[in-house]
Amino acid sequence: MQQVISQLLSGAYGECLLNEPLAPHTTWKIGGPADVLLIPETKEQLVEAVKLLHRHQTSWTVLGRGSNMLVADKGIRGIVLKLGPSMETLRFEGDIAYAGGAYSLIKLSVMASKEGLTGFEFAGGIPGTVGGAVYMNAGAHGSDVSRILLRAEVLLPTGELVTMQQADFEYDYRHSLLQKEPGIVTEAVFQLQYGNKKEITETTAAYKERRLRTQPLQLATCGSVFRNPEGHYAAKLIEEAGLKGYKVGGAEVSPLHANFIVNTGKATAQDVLTLIEQVQRIVFEKNGIKLVPEVLVVGER
């Protein structure tokens, strides 16, 4: 490990930070330190870094904007790779969008609407990156990434760049193959359609406004915590169980939207995990439905 760190500190692979607290790098503002946080400045540096880690059999974790992720209080051992600005790219060729893995999903939705392209309205208020959205098949308002993705460039743990077609991801509700076979999405290609620019812009804005009005997006959250069980809405089940405003330490079920857990200021990862478990238990006792978290928990507990 020390030999790997020495090479990473050379600067040849991007910015390298030791024992870097990860709370500032997540939307929940929770999490202990990473042994090493590496921020490659280019895709080439990212590829070479992953090849180096593969040669030395060193574990790594990828971090985008840190939404939909809970970093444990003891932090993450090994290397954390954070996609840098070089992968915050976007271009349109006709009705096809080419977006870098680090590009903001919300910004992509806005930019598509400005092009008069429909298909991305659903993402108008979803935090996170394009890479994370492809990884978890992000969706809302009856649509999701799987419906518009053509293909994506994925960096495998060996350091090999491959192109995966939409069908290769084995998409399901909030699920993709990448959750079983890890890889880093460096670029995604989406098939959109031309439409009425005014209507697209209005729909995108309406979805965003609705989220701002009904979800605690100005506070430290990760987005939705639980998947919607088939035929039900997680938020409704939690609210009916009387859990809005329920707290464990600094973690609170949002009084505004029950499927959000808010860091009220000093929440620990353990606070959040305990609150998740208690919500699951109480909802199950009330109606027999087991809520499944869609949050990715990483690090040493």
Side-chain angles (χ1 to χ4, degrees), residues 91-169:
R91 75 180 193 279
F92 294 97
E93 293 183 5
D95 56 2
I96 296 178
Y98 297 78
Y103 201 82
S104 162
L105 198 63
I106 292 175
K107 189 175 179 181
L108 175 52
S109 175
V110 172
M111 297 304 291
S113 69
K114 289 182 177 180
E115 294 287 323
L117 293 170
T118 183
F120 250 120
E121 293 91 331
F122 74 89
I126 299 178
T129 62
V130 166
V134 172
Y135 171 89
M136 70 167 292
N137 191 21
H141 306 293
S143 190
D144 56 37
V145 164
S146 72
R147 301 186 185 212
I148 53 176
L149 182 73
L150 281 177
R151 59 186 180 276
E153 182 182 69
V154 177
L155 178 60
L156 301 180
T158 59
E160 179 186 4
L161 280 170
V162 299
T163 297
M164 294 178 61
Q165 304 299 321
Q166 191 272 2
D168 298 331
F169 285 94

